[in-house]
Amino acid sequence: MKCQGAVLRGVGQDWEVREITLDPPKDGEVLVKMAVAGVCHSDDHFTTGDMVPTPDFAAVMEAAGVPPVEYFPLLGGHEGAGIVEEVGPGVRSVQPGDRVAFSFIAACGSCRWCASGMTYLCDNGAMMLAKEMTTDGTRRRHLGDEDLTAMTQLGTFAEYAVLAEESVIKIDESIPFEAASLVSCGVTTGWGSETVGVGTQPGDTVVIVGTGGVGINAVQGARAAGANSVIAVDPVEFKRDTAKFFGATDTSPSIEEAIPLVQELTEGVMADRVVLTPGVLDAELLAPALMLTRKGGTCLMTAVPKFEVNMVPLLLVDMLQSCKQLKGLIYGGMNPRASMPMLLSMYRNGHLKLDELVTRRYRLDQINDAIRDMRGGRNIRGIIEFD
Ligand SMILES: [Zn+2]
Ligand SMILES: [Zn+2]
């Protein structure tokens, strides 16, 4: 079938809305008519080139035996929700007419990691940016004579998506598409970073650096976990104000200015947990983030860093003698198939704010405006609506 999709041809270019071709779903695959797609910083990381490996990083990956990735042309979008239009043979978990949200990892459910409750580490994650389907290793998405890479095996910036069954999660009919789309990436990642990733406890002091689409949900998660002080750090005043609305007790425009604030709030003990959720994880952020972390405390990296060999200034003596943990985590350590229905149930019962996360709505042909507004710090979440 043919439909419209937003395609990126290379680093530094604008997104182009083009006619793309999707092959019918094969064994274990579904065709979804998109209702809503969320615009996340990770999509923009291909425009800026942050997620495209530098030569030194590529050399390290090659030495480790990781096959090189063909990033372009890229069909964008990894947050979204829609309605199942058609299912291929063998599909059991959904049928035509079902509402679905998406997982940005097509977790298989049977590998060692999935079987251990860590679906975010599923071996299928290695194919997140492959042109081939995780199901049978062949290709379904095309732009003229070229094959498309679909962002995280999804490609939600299109009117339709052909997906592995593992990428879709059935949701209740009463859940609005916007809410379902939001839990696809940003909400689950942010919420999980606090509640699972750093294991926030009642009474804790936590710092969240960067309160955009992910960090704002770390604020919600921290409050739900019982944190006493939630300090939101963001250079944009609108985002600091929004963080207060979502439950932050204190705010700071920079990580440097947060250090004396946290010193004062904790009588010098510093924060029990620090979660880093900026648009891009800069290596320079780690030294002050660990200064914000108390002895025995945990600092969590949730944001995407540049794909380069990073030189990180760390006080190793402090790491050792103060028994600090520095941890990396994707999807907030949550298992989408379990956590998305749980979060949507919390939303329905009024314990999780989702509608309030949407700042602006766009049509697909306004994709570049949506990206510009996100870069400009004008959106908590921008949403693309389809007919
Ligand atoms: Zn995302
Ligand atoms: Zn797996």
Side-chain angles (χ1 to χ4, degrees):
M1 73 170 308
K2 295 192 187 304
C3 69
Q4 297 293 306
V7 173
L8 186 69
R9 300 221 55 117
V11 174
Q13 309 220 358
D14 276 345
W15 293 85
E16 299 168 25
V17 176
R18 302 279 301 272
E19 183 180 86
I20 62 167
T21 306
L22 300 174
D23 297 337
K26 292 194 178 174
D27 275 29
E29 296 172 3
V30 299
L31 178 72
V32 175
K33 185 176 192 303
M34 292 299 305
V36 160
V39 181
C40 178
H41 259 287
S42 303
D43 298 299
D44 193 35
H45 287 144
F46 293 93
T47 324
T48 58
D50 291 331
M51 270 177 82
V52 178
T54 55
D56 59 347
F57 184 83
V60 171
M61 297 305 279
E62 193 186 334
V66 179
V69 172
E70 251 188 282
Y71 289 87
F72 303 106
L74 176 78
L75 177 63
H78 65 284
E79 269 196 15
I83 291 185
V84 176
E85 177 118 337
E86 190 185 332
V87 301
V91 170
R92 289 204 181 84
S93 64
V94 290
Q95 55 188 27
D98 282 348
R99 285 185 178 218
V100 287
F102 302 141
S103 164
F104 69 71
I105 296 174
C108 72
S110 56
C111 73
R112 170 186 170 186
W113 317 102
C114 285
S116 308
M118 295 181 284
T119 57
Y120 51 90
L121 285 180
C122 176
D123 287 336
N124 276 351
M127 290 185 72
M128 267 205 280
L129 293 169
K131 289 190 190 289
E132 292 77 22
M133 302 294 289
T134 55
T135 47
D136 68 357
T138 61
R139 301 174 176 195
R140 303 279 177 279
R141 303 129 174 159
H142 320 280
L143 176 70
D145 299 339
E146 298 172 281
D147 292 327
L148 287 161
T149 302
M151 173 87 179
T152 70
Q153 292 286 349
L154 295 173
T156 59
F157 295 168
E159 294 166 315
Y160 288 86
V162 59
L163 308 165
E165 182 182 7
E166 284 81 14
S167 295
V168 306
I169 294 161
K170 187 178 169 178
I171 54 158
D172 194 89
E173 271 190 22
S174 65
I175 300 291
F177 286 117
E178 279 191 4
S181 172
L182 289 159
V183 298
S184 266
C185 171
V187 173
T188 303
T189 301
W191 176 276
S193 295
E194 278 292 341
T195 59
V196 177
V198 287
T200 301
Q201 300 288 314
D204 275 353
T205 296
V206 305
V207 179
I208 294 148
V209 181
T211 52
V214 174
I216 200 73
N217 295 296
V219 170
Q220 296 207 74
R223 286 313 295 261
N228 184 33
S229 295
V230 179
I231 299 110
V233 180
D234 202 291
V236 180
E237 188 179 7
F238 155 65
K239 291 193 181 176
R240 294 197 299 277
D241 292 342
T242 307
K244 283 225 159 182
F245 171 76
F246 278 88
T249 56
D250 302 87
T251 62
S252 168
S254 73
I255 194 163
E256 289 76 19
E257 286 162 275
I259 291 170
L261 172 67
V262 174
Q263 268 169 342
E264 190 192 320
L265 288 169
T266 61
E267 296 177 352
V269 173
M270 305 310 282
D272 302 285
R273 336 266 163 191
V274 175
V275 170
L276 302 177
T277 49
V280 180
L281 180 59
D282 188 343
E284 299 296 319
L285 216 53
L286 291 181
L290 283 157
M291 283 178 71
L292 279 170
T293 309
R294 69 153 163 82
K295 57 186 178 182
T298 305
C299 176
L300 181 77
M301 302 178 285
T302 293
V304 174
K306 285 187 196 310
F307 280 30
E308 61 187 10
V309 178
N310 311 97
M311 303 301 286
V312 180
L314 286 182
L315 290 171
L316 294 181
V317 174
D318 177 49
M319 289 284 295
L320 176 80
Q321 296 195 341
S322 300
C323 305
K324 293 180 182 178
Q325 288 187 58
L326 178 61
K327 186 174 169 179
L329 193 64
I330 56 172
Y331 242 144
M334 299 197 94
N335 295 292
R337 205 160 285 281
S339 61
M340 285 182 195
M342 182 274 284
L343 289 168
L344 291 170
S345 176
M346 290 187 74
Y347 159 74
R348 204 166 38 195
N349 287 353
H351 304 309
L352 176 68
K353 291 187 175 82
L354 293 182
D355 301 328
E356 297 85 344
L357 293 168
V358 179
T359 320
R360 283 182 184 80
R361 294 170 179 83
Y362 306 85
R363 296 186 315 274
L364 184 62
D365 59 12
Q366 295 173 307
I367 178 72
N368 290 302
D369 298 331
I371 296 274
R372 267 190 291 275
D373 285 342
M374 179 178 64
R375 276 191 208 160
R378 292 185 282 277
N379 287 352
I380 296 298
R381 255 303 181 259
I383 289 280
I384 295 170
E385 292 178 314
F386 296 91
D387 296 331

